[in-house]
């Protein structure tokens, strides 16, 4: 069975390692999503990169919430939370933009 307290303690104990991996992973994956969207790549490629970037960002949100749960309220926790939320929103906008482009192209081809 999965124990939340054990996972939260692991997250807080290995904070530097987790953040050293997640911050660049979030930035690279979200940047790749944006680049693929701007280049007009197929929808499945954009969805894959956005999905991976969103998983990384969601894990960062959970990691930050483990710190909030024990009362750690500092600038880095808010900065990391803002980074994760910004990347989640960027990926959502990229997906919606990609869907809008595909729909508008199909309407223009039918006319």
């Amino acid at each position: 069975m999965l124990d939340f307290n054990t996972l939260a303690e692991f997250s807080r104990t290995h904070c530097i390692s987790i953040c050293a991996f997640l911050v660049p992973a979030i930035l690279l994956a979200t940047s790749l999503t944006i680049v693929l969207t701007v280049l007009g790549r197929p929808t499945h490629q954009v969805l894959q990169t956005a999905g991976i970037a969103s998983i990384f960002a969601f894990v960062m949100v959970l990691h930050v919430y483990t710190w909030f749960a024990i009362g750690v309220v500092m600038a880095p926790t808010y900065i990391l939370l803002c980074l994760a939320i910004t990347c989640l929103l960027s990926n959502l906008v990229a997906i919606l933009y990609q869907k809008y482009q595909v729909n508008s192209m199909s309407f223009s081809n039918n006319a």
Side-chain angles (χ1 to χ4, degrees):
M1 183 182 271
L2 204 55
D3 184 22
F4 178 74
N5 290 329
T6 306
L7 284 175
E9 190 60 37
F10 176 84
S11 175
R12 290 188 296 267
T13 302
H14 300 288
C15 180
I16 301 296
S17 303
I18 291 171
C19 290
F21 170 75
L22 283 179
V23 169
I26 289 169
L27 293 174
L28 286 173
T30 301
S31 298
L32 183 60
T33 302
I34 293 169
V35 167
L36 291 176
T37 302
V38 169
L39 293 177
R41 301 300 297 169
T43 303
H44 72 276
Q45 289 181 351
V46 174
L47 288 175
Q48 284 177 340
T49 57
I52 292 169
S54 296
I55 289 170
F56 288 147
F58 184 68
V59 170
M60 178 64 81
V61 168
L62 293 177
H63 173 66
V64 169
Y65 281 152
T66 64
W67 284 104
F68 285 151
I70 62 168
V72 175
V73 180
M74 296 173 23
T77 52
Y78 287 113
I79 292 168
L80 292 172
L81 185 62
C82 288
L83 170 72
I85 291 171
T86 301
C87 289
L88 283 170
L89 291 176
S90 298
N91 288 311
L92 178 64
V93 167
I95 291 170
L96 294 175
Y97 180 79
Q98 182 77 10
K99 296 254 186 219
Y100 173 74
Q101 288 298 330
V102 169
N103 287 340
S104 67
M105 290 166 83
S106 66
F107 285 132
S108 65
N109 290 339
N110 291 337

